Amino acid sequence: MPVEKAYEEGYINGISGTNLFAPKADITRADAICILFNMAGGDQKIKDDEFSYSENSGYVTGFDDVDGKQYFGKALAWAKASGVANGSNGKFRPYDKITREEFVSLLANFAKSKGDYEAVDADSVLGTATDYSSWAKQNVAWAKANGIMGNNGAALDGTGKITRAQVAAMAVNYQPENLTGETRA
């Protein structure tokens, strides 16, 4: 089960302060960045001294709408520095719910940062599908071609919100084993 695998690999946790996972709940852009940070090795591989930090403003993320002292500050500083998160017009919108195409775009950028991305012929892969935004076409095609989304003939629904369970499944579909070689036990 993808949710259990994502938890075992340390990619995603339950709802803070509870023993719940809430698989059908939407997920924020900040939480999606935390998952990618965990997939990259998180605190085990990414050290505090790799990013600018100040006692007054926290981690320097490069986004005008982000408080670097929030729980996702270090993850977003890493994502910006590594090219995983680009935002738009200097903003990241951390508390907005993330869409499926936004998550696969972050995941595609993560793959690029690891040297694990190969462009695909988007028109060939997507065929007549139109349930995605034009800006995300190449990333959605990459995700579909690599079995990350749209499996078993499922609709891509690129502009639709993504649930925590779907994020967990896409994370595991892309990277079935964590980069640290360790699992949670």
Side-chain angles (χ1 to χ4, degrees), residues 1-6 11-12 21 35 39 100 103 107 147-149 151 162-176:
M1 182 132 191
V3 169
E4 290 171 359
K5 181 73 173 167
Y11 299 161
I12 191 167
F21 183 76
I35 291 165
M39 291 173 68
R100 295 170 58 82
F103 183 71
L107 198 54
I148 297 165
M149 74 183 299
N151 298 331
I162 190 168
T163 65
R164 291 172 50 82
Q166 291 168 331
V167 166
M170 286 186 193
V172 169
N173 287 347
Y174 170 68
Q175 185 175 291

Side-chain angles (χ1 to χ4, degrees), residues 21-79:
F21 183 76
K24 294 181 181 179
D26 293 340
I27 192 165
T28 65
R29 292 169 54 84
D31 288 339
I33 286 297
C34 290
I35 291 165
L36 292 168
F37 178 76
N38 292 340
M39 291 173 68
D43 286 323
Q44 294 175 350
K45 291 184 93 174
I46 301 166
K47 304 299 178 208
D48 278 344
D49 61 1
E50 294 183 38
F51 311 104
S52 295
Y53 181 85
S54 81
E55 286 296 322
N56 293 332
S57 60
Y59 288 97
V60 178
T61 65
F63 296 107
D64 299 338
D65 61 340
V66 173
D67 176 353
K69 289 186 174 183
Q70 292 298 311
Y71 70 93
F72 55 85
K74 181 177 179 181
L76 191 53
W78 160 81

Side-chain angles (χ1 to χ4, degrees), residues 99-102 104 122-133 136-162 166 170:
T99 65
R100 295 170 58 82
E101 67 191 11
E102 287 173 335
V104 297
D123 291 329
S124 173
V125 171
L126 297 174
T128 60
T130 59
D131 52 348
Y132 55 86
S133 300
K137 181 177 182 176
Q138 185 60 47
N139 294 330
V140 169
W142 168 82
K144 184 175 183 343
N146 285 286
I148 297 165
M149 74 183 299
N151 298 331
N152 301 320
L156 299 173
D157 190 22
T159 59
K161 299 288 189 247
I162 190 168
Q166 291 168 331
M170 286 186 193

Side-chain angles (χ1 to χ4, degrees), residues 77-86 105-106 108-110 112-113:
W78 160 81
K80 177 70 171 171
S82 62
V84 171
N86 300 312
S105 293
L106 292 171
N109 290 343
F110 176 58
K112 290 172 188 173
S113 76

